[in-house]
Amino acid sequence: MYQDKTIICKDCGNEFVFTAGEQEFYAEKGFENEPTRCKECRIARKNNGREKRELHTAVCAECGGEAKVPFIPRDDRPVYCSECFSKKNEL
Ligand SMILES: [Zn+2]
Ligand SMILES: [Zn+2]
C-alpha cells in the first residue's frame, strides 16, 4: 500500500508530507502527477490567481457612469455598470 512521502516544495523549498491517504486519493482521482507544492503555497497560488483578475474601467452605456468589468471593453459591445447590469437582468 501507500507510504507517506516527503516532497520538497517547488516554491518555498520546505519539505511537506504527501501522505498515504493523499496518495490514495490522487490514485482514485486518476491524477498522474504528485503535488509539487506544499499546502500553503498551493493556497497562496490559488488566492493570487483570484486577485490577479484585473478590472477594466469603462463608461456605462446606460447611465454614463463608471463601469468596472473583468474583460477588456470593446467598442462594439455596450458595457454597463453593476447597477445598470442588474437592472437589465431584472427586466
Ligand atoms: Zn511551499
Ligand atoms: Zn450604469
Side-chain angles (χ1 to χ4, degrees):
M1 274 316 279
Y2 299 102
Q3 271 181 355
D4 286 6
K5 199 170 178 177
T6 305
I7 299 178
I8 310 264
C9 173
K10 206 164 118 175
D11 280 6
C12 67
N14 284 335
E15 286 184 349
F16 67 97
V17 178
F18 186 30
T19 65
E22 285 169 338
Q23 292 175 49
E24 207 177 335
F25 176 80
Y26 266 59
E28 261 172 34
K29 295 276 174 191
F31 298 154
E32 283 176 11
N33 298 321
E34 292 179 345
T36 52
R37 291 179 186 91
C38 68
K39 213 181 217 170
E40 285 76 29
C41 289
R42 263 180 277 165
I43 290 168
R45 281 180 75 88
K46 240 189 216 167
N47 290 340
N48 276 346
R50 211 176 293 150
E51 277 159 24
K52 251 182 220 157
R53 219 176 72 166
E54 237 179 285
L55 287 179
H56 299 270
T57 307
V59 177
C60 173
E62 190 74 30
C63 70
E66 192 181 76
K68 288 203 188 302
V69 290
F71 52 87
I72 295 170
R74 280 169 41 182
D75 289 341
D76 58 349
R77 227 169 98 191
V79 171
Y80 303 104
C81 65
S82 53
E83 220 172 284
C84 294
F85 188 79
S86 60
K87 258 188 230 160
K88 281 200 164 297
N89 279 357
E90 276 167 25
L91 293 174

